Amino acid sequence: MTERTPAPAPSTEGSALVVIDMINTYDHDDAELLLPASRAVVPAVVELLDRARTAGVPVIYVNDNFGEWRSHHGELVDTALAGPHADLVEPLRPDGDSLFVVKARHSIFYETPLSYLLWELGVGHIVLCGQVTEQCVLYSALDAHIRHLRTTVPHDAVAAIHPELAHAALEMMRRNMGAHIVAASDVTFEDRA
Amino acid sequence: MTERTPAPAPSTEGSALVVIDMINTYDHDDAELLLPASRAVVPAVVELLDRARTAGVPVIYVNDNFGEWRSHHGELVDTALAGPHADLVEPLRPDGDSLFVVKARHSIFYETPLSYLLWELGVGHIVLCGQVTEQCVLYSALDAHIRHLRTTVPHDAVAAIHPELAHAALEMMRRNMGAHIVAASDVTFEDRA
Amino acid sequence: MTERTPAPAPSTEGSALVVIDMINTYDHDDAELLLPASRAVVPAVVELLDRARTAGVPVIYVNDNFGEWRSHHGELVDTALAGPHADLVEPLRPDGDSLFVVKARHSIFYETPLSYLLWELGVGHIVLCGQVTEQCVLYSALDAHIRHLRTTVPHDAVAAIHPELAHAALEMMRRNMGAHIVAASDVTFEDRA
Amino acid sequence: MTERTPAPAPSTEGSALVVIDMINTYDHDDAELLLPASRAVVPAVVELLDRARTAGVPVIYVNDNFGEWRSHHGELVDTALAGPHADLVEPLRPDGDSLFVVKARHSIFYETPLSYLLWELGVGHIVLCGQVTEQCVLYSALDAHIRHLRTTVPHDAVAAIHPELAHAALEMMRRNMGAHIVAASDVTFEDRA
């Protein structure tokens, strides 16, 4: 489309909370392995959501669309809420201020408009929570590092399929991708003022 | 997310019809210049939609979300249909089989999952219609060329703001981007059988 | 490779001069059409090179490698200097401080490390010169715009194959890509101090 | 530049051997940890090089340029050969048929022309060797998977800094990225005939 009002050059001082793949019907491969871990992290994700919303920090759900290119994100939420694992989705459902980005190939950045959205929002620091630690979370932390974003990963707000791989993934993020690995209760959203 | 059923290597023999930025409230800069051209191309776009749907060719709406990261595509359609220019949107609205991809930065490919969707669908040939000829259509034809896709642009199904720039844009697509520039009535969807 | 010293967050206040595809043997399609235009812009490109070097502004040659993945850029320069059109290459050859990026698919940004190099250099403003106005220069200005870089294109330092398409391309850059179109003598490199 | 002879649609049946970051002065962070592992994999890399060259399989060196944007790849090789660890570089140096791609941000694909080069060569299967297993090799296997390439990683031809992370990395590649993890002696280059 044509240009609208020209954007001012945004700062990169803000934080955003990114919730990865938690809008889920849990009927995919390895779901049985993932479910207990997902259940365990829901309280920490909910706490992060509450704190971000209270602080006015943008909340962005980046979610696989599970091949449903005909469905929109409201339908994805409805489907997940109608399924047998609605109890994992209901507490952390998007509210009216939540932003939503669809991803298709694992990483939250690869062939998605997330970089642009963060730029528009003036965000240079992202807090990643959700699943799967040793898959999408790892890949997203790598892509954030490559794009020069500051990244925090609360280790008790990311869910794993394989605990040993998840442990290694968090260590890779810390050592090689410059990510801060902290407890969810220690996450600090950067000052936007 | 975790992998589902491994995808077979798709062919690239299929066609898709891509409708660019026609879900629109026409309240942006230059909308007054664009409106007559948009109105003029609606019948050709509708004809292409009919033919594609009859032939079982995938129809993909790739549309700016106009900064509405909270809205889903159903809401974008509803908003456009509630506006003063609903007559331009109603005839070509998405049906239940239509696919939908949100773009943010002009090109239908840049930081969107369109490449992946086309790959999944086995599509190697795209027919571009919609607007704006000398902007998003041109940029999308370039990005298709760079990605080795075959591209057809029906000159009477793309709407321009500046006729001279649009004329040059179509010539650039033909000479330098390998696009086939034809009348909408001469568009041939490639055989999927 | 492993990380070296962590990079400080660079500014985006600096300028760079980008010389596109001027290291050339002129034996490709349309070379006969391009040659007179290339010859005509050499003095303006040389003037820009002189001013950039004097001001300490980085000079980056971004050049097609013409499929010569076995050759390095020194060999590309040598080959061009050994050819029948060495007089177009000799005056603007890279010096010991010049940076060099190989491109393969038209745009200076698409699948090249240029974005990263500009980031490392603290460059947010690029001056594009070289060829071909209605092809690589246009595509590069588009990709710069999408990446939020400030862009200046000196109209007398870019060479065209088709004057009418080049005229339209410059107008597209000005109207739709936020580029400043000026005479080479009016180019201002942004202050790096 | 302008188009040359239009490329035919290549197949994706061929293999290529990709040698990652082995042209190295070993003066970076963690080099002391890496050196013994690098030394240990040289014979397997040399064997793969010999087999690929004998079979006519393309060999592509994808290497960090260590910030040396003024140097070309011949100079990078010369520098590595003049350093204290030339014995690790000499046996696997590029020959006159080797292809060379410079990377800047870890992955062999991110902002490099490698995808295009593979496409031109008709390559759909890559064999990754070199270093560092839990860093660039892992990231490259991920990016290959995202791009639908078939990938083989010979576990005894990739060098690690941290054996435990490398072990996890190989397991991630096998489980989640569809890579074949084999001994170097079991690598099969796909038939190009």
Side-chain angles (χ1 to χ4, degrees):
Chain A
M1 276 312 308
T2 58
E3 291 289 303
R4 308 202 158 213
T5 317
S11 81
T12 58
E13 292 179 9
S15 294
L17 177 65
V18 178
V19 183
I20 302 176
D21 278 334
M22 292 299 284
I23 309 303
N24 203 318
T25 52
Y26 296 95
D27 59 355
H28 49 75
D29 290 352
D30 286 336
E32 289 308 310
L33 290 171
L34 179 61
L35 268 167
S38 302
R39 182 166 289 114
V41 302
V42 166
V45 173
V46 169
E47 182 206 320
L48 287 166
L49 283 168
D50 286 346
R51 290 179 47 210
R53 285 165 177 160
T54 301
V57 166
V59 174
I60 309 172
Y61 290 77
V62 187
N63 217 88
D64 207 286
N65 71 352
F66 304 114
E68 295 297 325
W69 299 93
R70 290 172 184 80
S71 302
H72 55 64
H73 60 76
E75 293 167 334
L76 296 176
V77 175
D78 290 346
T79 301
L81 288 174
H85 301 293
D87 59 313
L88 300 192
V89 180
E90 177 60 40
L92 42 74
R93 59 190 298 176
D95 69 8
D97 289 327
S98 301
L99 308 173
F100 211 97
V101 170
V102 170
K103 69 184 176 67
R105 294 296 289 160
H106 313 296
S107 163
I108 60 177
F109 289 99
Y110 183 73
E111 298 195 342
T112 79
L114 182 62
S115 284
Y116 176 68
L117 176 54
L118 295 177
W119 181 87
E120 267 196 329
L121 294 169
V123 167
H125 170 236
I126 56 175
V127 178
L128 301 181
C129 64
Q131 52 201 26
V132 174
T133 313
E134 71 272 25
Q135 296 186 35
C136 298
V137 176
L138 174 67
Y139 313 156
S140 299
L142 170 62
D143 278 357
H145 176 58
I146 283 180
R147 286 161 178 78
H148 312 298
L149 292 160
R150 301 179 298 285
T151 305
T152 298
V153 181
H155 55 74
D156 49 351
V158 289
I161 291 173
H162 296 94
E164 285 181 31
L165 295 184
H167 180 79
L170 287 166
E171 184 64 9
M172 289 172 183
M173 294 185 229
R174 188 185 68 76
R175 292 189 67 98
N176 299 328
M177 302 173 192
H180 290 268
I181 311 297
V182 299
S185 56
D186 289 334
V187 165
T188 305
F189 297 114
E190 294 183 9
D191 190 5
R192 302 179 64 85
Chain B
M1 275 312 308
T2 57
E3 291 289 304
R4 306 198 160 216
T5 316
S11 81
T12 58
E13 292 179 10
S15 293
L17 177 65
V18 178
V19 183
I20 302 175
D21 278 335
M22 293 299 285
I23 309 303
N24 203 319
T25 51
Y26 296 95
D27 59 355
H28 49 74
D29 291 351
D30 286 336
E32 288 308 309
L33 290 170
L34 178 60
L35 268 167
S38 301
R39 182 165 288 114
V41 302
V42 166
V45 173
V46 169
E47 182 207 319
L48 288 166
L49 283 168
D50 287 346
R51 290 179 48 210
R53 285 165 178 161
T54 301
V57 166
V59 174
I60 309 173
Y61 291 77
V62 187
N63 217 88
D64 207 287
N65 71 352
F66 304 114
E68 295 297 326
W69 299 93
R70 289 173 184 80
S71 302
H72 56 64
H73 60 77
E75 292 167 334
L76 296 176
V77 174
D78 290 345
T79 301
L81 288 173
H85 301 293
D87 59 313
L88 300 191
V89 180
E90 177 61 39
L92 42 75
R93 60 191 295 178
D95 69 8
D97 289 326
S98 301
L99 307 174
F100 212 97
V101 169
V102 170
K103 68 184 177 67
R105 295 294 289 160
H106 312 297
S107 163
I108 60 177
F109 289 99
Y110 183 73
E111 299 195 342
T112 79
L114 183 61
S115 284
Y116 176 67
L117 176 54
L118 295 176
W119 181 88
E120 267 196 328
L121 294 168
V123 167
H125 171 237
I126 56 176
V127 178
L128 302 180
C129 64
Q131 55 201 22
V132 174
T133 313
E134 71 272 24
Q135 297 186 33
C136 297
V137 176
L138 174 67
Y139 312 156
S140 299
L142 170 63
D143 277 357
H145 177 57
I146 282 180
R147 285 162 179 78
H148 311 297
L149 292 160
R150 301 178 299 284
T151 306
T152 299
V153 181
H155 56 75
D156 50 350
V158 289
I161 290 173
H162 296 94
E164 286 181 30
L165 295 183
H167 181 78
L170 286 166
E171 184 64 9
M172 289 172 183
M173 294 184 229
R174 188 186 68 76
R175 291 189 68 100
N176 299 328
M177 302 173 193
H180 290 268
I181 311 297
V182 299
S185 56
D186 289 335
V187 166
T188 305
F189 297 115
E190 294 183 9
D191 190 5
R192 302 181 63 85
Chain C
M1 277 312 309
T2 58
E3 290 291 301
R4 304 195 162 221
T5 317
S11 82
T12 58
E13 292 178 11
S15 294
L17 177 64
V18 178
V19 183
I20 303 176
D21 278 335
M22 293 299 285
I23 309 303
N24 203 319
T25 52
Y26 295 96
D27 59 354
H28 49 74
D29 290 351
D30 286 335
E32 289 308 309
L33 290 170
L34 178 59
L35 268 167
S38 302
R39 183 165 288 114
V41 303
V42 166
V45 173
V46 170
E47 181 207 319
L48 288 166
L49 283 168
D50 287 346
R51 290 180 46 210
R53 285 165 177 161
T54 301
V57 166
V59 174
I60 309 172
Y61 291 76
V62 186
N63 217 87
D64 207 285
N65 71 352
F66 304 114
E68 295 297 325
W69 299 93
R70 289 172 185 80
S71 302
H72 56 63
H73 59 77
E75 292 166 334
L76 296 176
V77 175
D78 290 346
T79 301
L81 287 174
H85 301 293
D87 59 313
L88 300 191
V89 180
E90 176 61 41
L92 42 74
R93 61 191 296 178
D95 68 9
D97 289 326
S98 301
L99 308 173
F100 212 96
V101 170
V102 169
K103 69 183 177 65
R105 295 294 290 158
H106 311 297
S107 163
I108 59 176
F109 290 99
Y110 183 73
E111 297 195 342
T112 79
L114 182 62
S115 284
Y116 176 67
L117 176 55
L118 296 176
W119 180 87
E120 268 197 328
L121 295 169
V123 167
H125 170 238
I126 55 176
V127 178
L128 302 181
C129 64
Q131 53 201 27
V132 174
T133 313
E134 71 272 25
Q135 297 186 33
C136 298
V137 176
L138 174 67
Y139 313 155
S140 299
L142 170 62
D143 277 357
H145 177 56
I146 283 180
R147 285 162 179 77
H148 312 297
L149 292 160
R150 302 180 297 285
T151 306
T152 299
V153 181
H155 55 76
D156 50 350
V158 288
I161 291 173
H162 296 94
E164 286 182 30
L165 295 184
H167 181 79
L170 287 166
E171 184 64 9
M172 289 172 182
M173 294 184 229
R174 188 186 67 77
R175 290 189 69 98
N176 299 329
M177 302 172 193
H180 291 268
I181 311 297
V182 300
S185 56
D186 290 334
V187 166
T188 306
F189 296 114
E190 294 184 10
D191 190 6
R192 302 180 64 83
Chain D
M1 276 312 307
T2 58
E3 291 289 303
R4 308 202 158 212
T5 316
S11 81
T12 58
E13 292 178 10
S15 294
L17 177 65
V18 178
V19 183
I20 303 176
D21 278 334
M22 293 299 285
I23 309 304
N24 202 319
T25 51
Y26 296 95
D27 58 355
H28 49 74
D29 290 351
D30 285 336
E32 289 308 309
L33 290 170
L34 179 59
L35 268 167
S38 302
R39 182 165 289 115
V41 302
V42 166
V45 174
V46 169
E47 181 207 320
L48 288 166
L49 283 168
D50 287 346
R51 291 180 47 209
R53 286 166 177 160
T54 301
V57 166
V59 174
I60 310 172
Y61 291 77
V62 187
N63 217 87
D64 207 287
N65 71 351
F66 304 114
E68 295 298 324
W69 299 93
R70 288 173 184 80
S71 302
H72 55 63
H73 59 78
E75 292 167 333
L76 296 176
V77 175
D78 290 346
T79 301
L81 288 174
H85 301 292
D87 59 313
L88 300 192
V89 180
E90 176 60 40
L92 42 74
R93 60 192 295 177
D95 69 8
D97 289 326
S98 302
L99 308 173
F100 212 97
V101 170
V102 169
K103 68 183 176 67
R105 294 295 290 159
H106 312 297
S107 163
I108 60 176
F109 290 99
Y110 183 73
E111 297 195 342
T112 78
L114 182 62
S115 284
Y116 176 67
L117 176 55
L118 295 177
W119 180 88
E120 267 196 328
L121 295 169
V123 167
H125 170 237
I126 56 176
V127 178
L128 301 181
C129 64
Q131 54 201 25
V132 174
T133 313
E134 71 272 25
Q135 297 186 33
C136 297
V137 176
L138 175 67
Y139 313 156
S140 299
L142 170 62
D143 277 357
H145 177 57
I146 283 180
R147 285 162 178 77
H148 312 297
L149 292 160
R150 301 180 298 285
T151 306
T152 298
V153 181
H155 55 75
D156 49 350
V158 289
I161 291 173
H162 297 95
E164 286 181 31
L165 295 185
H167 181 79
L170 287 166
E171 184 63 10
M172 289 173 182
M173 294 185 229
R174 188 186 67 78
R175 292 188 67 98
N176 299 329
M177 301 172 192
H180 290 268
I181 311 297
V182 299
S185 55
D186 289 335
V187 166
T188 306
F189 296 114
E190 294 183 9
D191 189 5
R192 302 180 65 83

